[in-house]
Amino acid sequence: MSKKWVYRFDEVKQAEEYVGGEWENVRGLLGGKGANLSEMVLIGVPVPPGFTVSTEACNAYLASGETFPEGLREQILEALRNVEESTGRKFGDKKNPLLISCRSGGKFSMPGMMDTVLDIGLNDETVKGLLEMTGDERFVYDSYRRLVQMFGSVVMRAPDEAFEEVLTAARLKAGVETDAELTADDWKNVTVKFKAIFRRYANRDFPTDPYDQLNLATEAVFKSWNGKRAVDYRNATGIPHDLGTAVSIQTMVFGNMGNDSATSIALTHNGTTGENRIEGDYLTNAQGEDVVAGIRLTNEISKLKAEMPAAYKEFEQYAQELEKHYRDMQDVEFTIEKGKFWMLQTRDGKRTAQAAVRIAVEMVEEGLISREEAVLRVSPEQVDVFLHPQFDQNAIKAAKTAGDMLAKGINVSPGAAFGVIALEADLAQKWANEEGKNVIMVRPETKPDDVHGMLASKGILTSRGGRTSHAALVARQFGKPAIVGVSELEIDLIKREISVKGRVFKEGEWISIDGTEGEFYAGKLETIVPDIKDPYLMTLLSWADEFRRLGVWANADYPVDAKRALEYGAEGIGLCRTEHMFFETERLPLVQKMILTDIPSERREALDELLPFQRDDFIGLYRVMDGKSVIIRLIDPPLNEFLPNQVNLMRELTELKFLLRDAGTLDEMNELLDKIEEKRHILRRVESLHESNPMLGLRGVRLAIHIPELTAMQVRAIIEAACIVAKEGVEAHPEIMIPLTIHVNELKSQRDILDVEAEKVMKEHGIEVPYKLGTMIELPRAALVADQIAEYAEFFSFGTNDLTQTVFGISRDDAEASFLIKYMAQGILTENPFAVLDRDGVGELMRIGVQKGRSVRPDLECGICGEHAGNPESIHICHELNLSYVSSAPFQIPIARLAAAHAALRDKNK
Ligand code: ADP
Ligand code: MG
Ligand code: MG
């Protein structure tokens, strides 16, 4: 017996058995569309009878050089007999003809990428039968011409324009504006002309035998799996190429049988806001494709309620049933034929990030899904959307209706942007930086020489390239919205214009790109920033908190940042960088004075003046974080960063010398000489502090050892501030963090100063405050000797930026500006290690660090404060390493909370 290739819609159980029970595999076998049609039959939703030819048949057909596998033809015929029985009609019958559709559908939805043929079974004979059945001549000849047209364009690849020309001529001749106004006779004439077009392009007559039609259409659907559109789409979306498409063959139902017939596409929830309200469009007296094609103005689904109350009620009930059954919002297609309701398709509906969050939360409240499922249904990337500008959904809708959606490409970097077209990097940079214009850089593709233009632009659009093209990598790297691989886009670099679908845009004209969807538009679309304090998001995140094991802390230098972090759910401050506080205008001169002097008393004086500033900063932080840990890092960067630039100093010195030459009086000369002397002094100091590799030079704890008074001042500020707020009843938990430790002896030497100073301060204030001393682990050696270090450190914080630089032996700035992009394009590295934690190298060192550290101090608090702490994949690694917390930028806290919950849930469900 040959293999079972064909499953009737009522044979879903058999399909399930064959694939071993998993619904995912049923979808693999019958395609998403076919599997759901069967499932709907099972749960009692009215579906026109039919059957599905499996993806296995498609794959066998394609693998054998396009021949039907053994038994397929017979099984199709047998299933067709069955459909004839249940409908009481006969395929190819002159009196009572059965008409069918041949629908494509793979495991994953590939909207519009493959083919579907409707009205199969019509020919010059059966047309009469249909006429007898319906008595509607216009409808019948309209259906017939549709079949010839679809067969021509889908099966035989005749160009659409050929058919459109005939239609336009027919409308002109009849003196009407729309196809709907054409009469039966018009359609008869059109059909004759369509057949001629068919003959011209297919080199054969239109197949009149319904069985020929069925075979050819089935083959066409099989072949459409390897059509260029479909292959490109799969490349872009990462759908495997070996899945194949199923073919669902189904009894035609007609929404165009008069005013008690209609067709519609609807969502069971609002896809934009997530509101629990049916949303959709319908057309009375029309067929399915008419709604999608947008050739007629559709009605809001709510109007259907008034127009066909009984059918609408049925629809509402089935919509609810489907939503309950699939436990998710559904996107459905249905048709009403003479008052009778038929469901033609259901699938999980696409939705915006805001809708995804609201639907997940409300479905928990309705008891449809668990909190855990809701949390897993929203991705950290969707939460990220709440942070970036998006196009207003109404603006998108309006643009689409106006035909201003120009094309769809590969969505490689999310976010929305509008700007004027610039076709060269230099021009993009000039317009953006010198003229303050919003620029979208448009290129066939980009190369490293273009990066300056890309950086200056708001968004990037290319006609070529894929997910790993230069443009895609750079755009993601720098968070610029981008679309690549828009094959319909033509760029004329000589005429300085672009064209798409026959529309031309000159360089300098406005366009808008939606990097989230990969769509781009003519003109300037309105943007909005979704509300991060959206109540549904807040609820979802509070559930995420129930599941996660990782703490989520924030990097914050100022009380305002801390406040924001707290609002977003931060449980502590994982990194307060004290040097940022040094750069403020009032303070910088004091810092410079401290650095420039060699005289201890002068240095002490400068430090004494700095002390109150630092103390006040910390007081503010403690007050905000009342009761929560605040990790304060002692000074980290090389001193040169605080001093004027060497080149500028030399220029100023030269200018002073010129002034001296022209000086008129002795007083003036003396004054200038003093200034020259001072500048020279600074210059000498800058020169003496110059390092070839400042990143690897005198910085971090090395600097603190070099200037011990600085450590003492910072510790005094930290502890004094804690004593002061303690008296107000605020609970301060300072954790003093030493950066860039290499050797345990560095810690020992710092601890001595630290503990002594802290004791002294507490005595002065007559109050004890708790404090901890710990270190950053950001050098490979420190991770390797973490057990020795843990003897002196009460906590670790992994600084994964420096750790990545030193583990890889590359400087981030240099690498990102040059070879990293190439490495990713060539697949040498799959990710930028500064964006996504390198599990095998850096991650392994972290594992050693945690393990060795906790071998000495079992309850050692280990966190991460590098940029990786805001990246979902890296957070997953941190969870696996059993870190105590991740500390991210305040705005990334919501992402981190969700990502940490996902990590914990995946771990649990493993
Ligand atoms: P797509 O995957 O592109 O949506 P479909 O297979 O769903 O393709 O079919 C395209 C259009 O034809 C849809 O509007 C659908 O509702 C309609 N259609 C498909 N099969 C039938 C049928 N048996 N009766 C009536 N309309 C149909
Ligand atoms: Mg469909
Ligand atoms: Mg560092």
Side-chain angles (χ1 to χ4, degrees), residues 33 103-104 111-112 116 265 292 331-333 344-347:
K33 196 182 287 168
R103 313 175 66 186
S104 56
T116 281
I265 298 179
V292 194
D331 174 346
V332 298
E333 293 175 6
L344 286 171
Q345 188 170 334
T346 191
R347 62 184 154 193

Side-chain angles (χ1 to χ4, degrees), residues 102-116:
C102 217
R103 313 175 66 186
S104 56
K107 176 170 184 178
F108 304 106
S109 158
M110 297 165 47
M113 296 298 137
M114 294 188 296
D115 297 324
T116 281

Side-chain angles (χ1 to χ4, degrees), residues 49 80 272 307 433 452 475 511 581 604 636 638-639 655 663 737 765 783 844:
L80 193 61
T272 307
E307 202 177 318
N433 296 355
H452 61 290
I511 54 168
M581 302 166 167
R604 179 136 311 132
D636 183 47
L639 290 180
E655 277 164 14
M737 179 155 78
H765 284 262
E844 180 62 12

Side-chain angles (χ1 to χ4, degrees), residues 776-818:
M776 298 205 50
I777 303 288
E778 51 187 336
L779 294 172
R781 189 180 192 282
L784 293 170
V785 300
D787 45 350
Q788 297 168 19
I789 289 182
E791 300 270 4
Y792 288 84
E794 292 165 288
F795 65 89
F796 284 176
S797 177
F798 289 95
T800 47
N801 196 39
D802 272 313
L803 193 57
T804 303
Q805 296 202 87
T806 49
V807 166
F808 279 73
I810 60 181
S811 108
R812 177 173 187 173
D813 291 346
D814 295 324
E816 287 184 343
S818 64

Side-chain angles (χ1 to χ4, degrees), residues 828-876:
I828 294 174
L829 290 177
T830 49
E831 296 281 0
N832 174 357
F834 294 104
V836 181
L837 200 60
D838 161 50
R839 178 189 291 270
D840 297 344
V842 178
E844 180 62 12
L845 267 175
M846 289 169 74
R847 193 188 59 76
I848 293 169
V850 172
Q851 185 211 334
K852 287 199 154 182
R854 290 198 176 138
S855 72
V856 173
R857 225 183 256 273
D859 57 349
L860 183 72
E861 172 190 292
C862 297
I864 175 177
C865 64
E867 249 174 77
H868 295 110
N871 168 261
E873 255 178 272
S874 311
I875 291 171
H876 205 130

